[in-house]
Amino acid sequence: MRVSPVPSYPAGFADEPDATIGFGVSAEVTVSDSGILVEARTSCIPAIVSRRPVNDADYAQLTGWLVAPDGLSALRIAAQEGRISRNQKEFILHADYLDEPITHYATTSVVTAIQPELYTISETEWVPVWRITCSNEYPDGWRD
């Protein structure tokens, strides 16, 4: 399962209750032109020490993450909460400080991925959440 690239968890400081501790999770490899592994580096890769069922209290501290039993449920929650970007109509922006007007072209929102991901709730505990990735598609098919 994917691991969040920059997870964080509550620091537990009495004088700063909203403080979090974050770190970067990464793995990098260098491969020669002939396909031979030359070098590999990792940073903060988690190891499974034990497992337990996830409960509602574990998820209570997460804000901004999609918590759902499956990807379709996560997609429904994201749509209900307005987390998926919306289609935009074409419009022209006029401003006194611009020499010429700017055209913002119409776009259609496209969901490009729905993936499970592990995220931290403490220094040693991770819970599954969902990440939904969207792109804007223009009438000519180009996406950003």
Side-chain angles (χ1 to χ4, degrees):
M1 185 180 289
R2 291 177 176 266
V3 175
S4 177
V6 187
S8 64
Y9 55 90
F13 301 144
D15 60 337
E16 237 183 298
D18 293 334
T20 59
I21 296 173
F23 53 96
V25 176
S26 66
E28 300 174 23
V29 296
T30 304
V31 179
S32 70
D33 290 340
S34 61
I36 296 172
L37 179 64
V38 176
E39 182 181 18
R41 291 182 299 274
T42 62
S43 173
C44 300
I45 303 297
I48 297 173
V49 177
S50 64
R51 294 177 188 257
R52 68 171 173 80
V54 180
N55 58 47
D56 291 341
D58 295 330
Y59 286 119
Q61 61 186 296
L62 293 175
T63 56
W65 291 99
L66 286 168
V67 177
D70 56 63
L72 184 56
S73 299
L75 183 60
R76 286 184 178 130
I77 291 168
Q80 289 170 352
E81 294 180 356
R83 296 186 189 197
I84 298 173
S85 60
R86 303 194 190 292
N87 300 342
Q88 281 193 323
K89 293 182 178 181
E90 184 171 312
F91 67 92
I92 297 174
L93 176 65
H94 296 278
D96 292 338
Y97 59 87
L98 297 173
D99 293 336
E100 295 181 27
I102 298 173
T103 302
H104 286 270
Y105 295 100
T107 61
T108 302
S109 182
V110 179
V111 174
T112 56
I114 305 171
Q115 300 169 313
E117 184 171 292
L118 291 175
Y119 195 79
T120 49
I121 57 171
S122 73
E123 185 175 0
T124 58
E125 294 179 297
W126 298 70
V127 294
V129 294
W130 292 92
R131 178 182 295 271
I132 297 180
T133 308
C134 297
S135 289
N136 292 318
E137 185 173 289
Y138 292 84
D140 63 0
W142 187 79
R143 290 182 182 176
D144 63 3

